[in-house]
Amino acid sequence: MEENKTDYTKTIRRIILFVSIGLGLHVLFLLYTVDRSSFASLKNIHFTHILLMCLLAICPWIGHTLRVMIWSKFISHPMGFKELFPVMIVNDIGAALTPTALGGGPVKMA
């Protein structure tokens, strides 16, 4: 029996493109609506604080991955961290890109 493996590379590239365009438009919006002195204050942020912010931004994905790992062991189908972490990231990106009217994160992931 032949396995059906789908290549999601094209889809992921499109998502990255659309997210990048959205971020660029958001930065342009901020440049036109926020005063220049507010942007000048960004120079005072220490690099260690930026690294800490990035680490704390990843914590929800790590927590969600660990929670799903526990549930997968509970239903006798254990899955590893390396296998589940990308799924949790894509789930979060999908939840951000789709309207709320579709349902919550688990509905979108399904």
Side-chain angles (χ1 to χ4, degrees):
M1 198 168 176
E2 186 179 323
E3 287 187 33
N4 185 11
K5 292 191 177 185
T6 306
D7 185 23
Y8 292 107
T9 307
K10 188 175 180 181
T11 305
I12 291 173
R13 286 183 184 162
R14 284 183 182 169
I15 289 173
I16 290 172
L17 175 69
F18 289 131
V19 169
S20 300
I21 291 171
L23 286 174
L25 291 173
H26 184 69
V27 168
L28 285 175
F29 175 76
L30 289 176
L31 286 173
Y32 286 111
T33 57
V34 177
D35 59 338
R36 302 282 182 211
S37 62
S38 297
F39 282 111
S41 65
L42 292 176
K43 294 179 184 176
N44 300 331
I45 298 176
H46 295 286
F47 184 70
T48 54
H49 291 148
I50 293 173
L51 287 177
L52 182 62
M53 285 183 246
C54 291
L55 177 69
L56 291 174
I58 294 172
C59 283
W61 290 338
I62 293 172
H64 194 187
T65 304
L66 294 174
R67 182 172 58 102
V68 173
M69 282 176 61
I70 291 169
W71 276 105
S72 69
K73 288 178 186 176
F74 178 72
I75 62 170
S76 301
H77 187 70
M79 299 175 81
F81 187 85
K82 286 183 178 181
E83 189 178 5
L84 286 174
F85 190 67
V87 174
M88 297 307 118
I89 293 173
V90 171
N91 179 31
D92 202 26
I93 292 172
L97 293 177
T98 56
T100 311
L102 292 177
V107 174
K108 294 173 187 173
M109 189 168 72

